[in-house]
């Protein structure tokens, strides 16, 4: 890799981490969510401090995505298969109803504004999705991830993540193209998803009966860390290979390591990496927000934000 590229990546990484540290420390001091601090720190970094000199590289994006994967991995490690079975209703019924109650009104409103029906449908579908990472981070800060409403909310978010791929397969319809293999693609997607779900209990048994006792006898934190990284990496690679969302692969990897004698230790040793990469992700996310864009149409921006919040809260 070119030396200048390396220097730029290191400079951006150090800058993002420093902004995350300062904004997080300020938020802790005044009692405000660190998540808000990371995002606002990213806004200041992208719009005020570095401005047009700030260049988001693909390498930085990969670092940010690592934070997302580790966060979804930690969500999975906090869930058991019994928890997932109890979440079947909020996952299927709640997820479907929530998306429909957001997508349909949004599409109707867009049609009223004289947008083409294809654009209205696409806009409605986009509005129905929420950020699993943002919501989980907020629930985690409030200590609500284990609460009944927190679990139901996470179930709905996971349903949305799973619904992304089939909706993407339907997008060509909006451009007038009807894929000849659509039914086959949807059937293959359903089969792959079921295969992953069926593989998780088997992998859990293997880890619980053989791997966890072996690692416990070694008394090595390093081996626990290496094994955890291998599992989360393998989960994401399987998801990529099968054409599923990578965050679902990370979540499945967390489920695999739940319910054994090393679960709490794994969660503890992964936590520092997760929080570091999460800070990179949220600060980087904040750099996408531009004050000048908001100031160009402040009423439209604020009105859209309030409308989306009211609609999603009602749903």
């Amino acid at each position: 890799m070119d030396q200048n590229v390396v220097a730029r990546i290191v400079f951006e990484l150090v800058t993002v981490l420093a902004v995350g540290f300062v904004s997080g420390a300020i938020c802790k001091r005044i009692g405000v969510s660190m998540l808000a601090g990371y995002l606002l720190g990213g806004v200041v970094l992208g719009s005020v401090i570095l401005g047009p000199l700030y260049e988001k590289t693909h390498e930085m994006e990969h670092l940010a995505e690592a934070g997302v994967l580790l966060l979804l991995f930690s969500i999975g490690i906090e869930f058991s298969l019994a928890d997932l079975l109890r979440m079947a209703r909020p996952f299927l019924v709640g997820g479907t109803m929530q998306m429909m109650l957001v997508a349909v009104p949004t599409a109707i409103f867009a049609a009223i504004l004289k947008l083409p029906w294809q654009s209205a449908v696409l806009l409605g579908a986009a509005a129905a999705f929420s950020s699993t990472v943002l919501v989980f981070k907020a629930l985690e800060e409030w200590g609500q991830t284990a609460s009944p409403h927190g679990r139901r909310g996470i179930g709905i978010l996971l349903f949305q993540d799973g619904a992304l791929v089939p909706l993407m397969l339907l997008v060509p319809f909006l451009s007038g193209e009807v894929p000849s293999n659509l039914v086959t693609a949807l059937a293959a997607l359903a089969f792959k998803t079921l295969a992953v779900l069926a593989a998780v209990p088997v992998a859990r048994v293997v880890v619980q009966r053989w791997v966890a006792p072996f690692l416990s006898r070694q008394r090595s934190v390093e081996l626990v860390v290496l094994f955890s990284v291998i599992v989360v990496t393998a989960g994401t690679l399987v998801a990529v290979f099968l054409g599923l969302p990578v965050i679902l692969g990370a979540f499945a990897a967390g489920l695999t390591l739940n319910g054994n004698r090393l679960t709490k230790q794994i969660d503890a040793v992964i936590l520092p990496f997760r929080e570091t990469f999460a800070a990179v992700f949220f600060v980087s996310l904040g750099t996408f927000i531009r004050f000048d864009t908001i100031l160009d149409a402040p009423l439209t921006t604020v009105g859209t934000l309030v409308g989306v919040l009211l609609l999603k809260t009602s749903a």
Side-chain angles (χ1 to χ4, degrees):
M1 186 180 293
D2 186 81
Q3 185 115 8
N4 293 329
V5 175
V6 174
R8 186 180 70 243
I9 295 171
V10 173
F11 169 72
E12 292 182 359
L13 179 59
V14 171
T15 304
V16 167
L17 289 174
V19 169
F21 174 79
V22 172
S23 58
I26 293 173
C27 288
K28 274 291 186 182
R29 179 69 177 176
I30 63 179
V32 177
S33 168
M34 291 181 65
L35 175 58
Y38 290 152
L39 292 172
L40 290 175
V43 172
V44 174
L45 175 65
S47 299
V48 180
I49 298 179
L50 298 181
L53 296 178
Y54 182 68
E55 180 182 357
K56 288 177 280 295
T57 63
H58 292 297
E59 290 80 5
M60 284 295 295
E61 291 176 3
H62 296 329
L63 287 174
E65 290 167 358
V68 176
L69 296 179
L70 289 175
L71 199 57
L72 266 293
F73 174 73
S74 68
I75 296 176
I77 211 170
E78 293 180 7
F79 278 84
S80 65
L81 292 179
D83 291 330
L84 285 183
L85 291 175
R86 286 193 293 268
M87 285 170 51
R89 185 175 178 182
F91 181 82
L92 296 173
V93 180
T96 302
M97 290 300 297
Q98 189 271 342
M99 293 191 72
M100 293 298 295
L101 289 172
V102 174
V104 174
T106 302
I108 293 174
F109 181 73
I112 292 174
L113 295 179
K114 306 298 184 183
L115 267 68
W117 71 268
Q118 296 95 333
S119 301
V121 171
L122 187 60
L123 186 62
F129 287 96
S130 305
S131 172
T132 303
V133 179
L134 287 171
V135 177
F136 178 77
K137 188 65 176 175
L139 289 171
E140 186 182 47
E141 285 194 356
W142 298 335
Q144 300 294 317
T145 54
S147 65
H149 58 269
R151 292 295 173 104
R152 288 194 294 269
I154 292 172
I156 292 173
L157 291 166
L158 292 174
F159 176 86
Q160 293 179 4
D161 294 333
L164 178 61
V165 175
L167 281 176
M168 291 298 292
L169 292 175
L170 296 174
V171 167
F173 274 111
L174 302 179
S175 60
E177 300 176 6
V178 181
S180 57
N181 61 339
L182 178 62
V183 176
T184 304
L186 290 174
L189 178 63
F191 175 78
K192 293 173 184 178
T193 303
L194 292 175
V196 171
L197 293 177
V200 169
V202 177
R204 277 169 57 92
V205 171
V206 172
V207 171
Q208 190 170 5
R209 290 189 179 181
W210 293 288
V211 180
F214 169 77
L215 291 175
S216 296
R217 290 193 298 269
Q218 307 311 309
R219 301 182 182 277
S220 171
V221 177
E222 293 82 1
L223 289 179
V224 174
V225 173
L226 285 173
F227 177 70
S228 303
V229 173
I230 289 171
V231 172
V232 68
T233 305
T236 54
L237 284 176
V238 169
V240 170
F241 178 75
L242 295 178
L244 300 173
V246 291
I247 55 177
L248 293 185
F251 178 75
L255 282 176
T256 300
L257 296 182
N258 174 273
N260 63 74
R261 66 180 71 180
L262 294 177
T263 297
K264 292 185 178 179
Q265 184 181 5
I266 292 171
D267 198 24
V269 297
I270 292 296
L271 182 64
F273 300 100
R274 186 190 78 189
E275 292 304 316
T276 300
F277 286 120
V280 173
F281 171 76
F282 290 117
V283 173
S284 299
L285 186 64
T287 62
F288 285 95
I289 302 173
R290 288 289 180 267
F291 280 127
D292 52 354
T293 303
I294 297 175
L295 293 176
D296 286 342
L299 294 179
T300 302
T301 303
V302 174
T304 302
L305 174 63
V306 172
V308 169
L309 290 175
L310 289 175
L311 179 60
K312 292 208 166 190
T313 303
S314 301

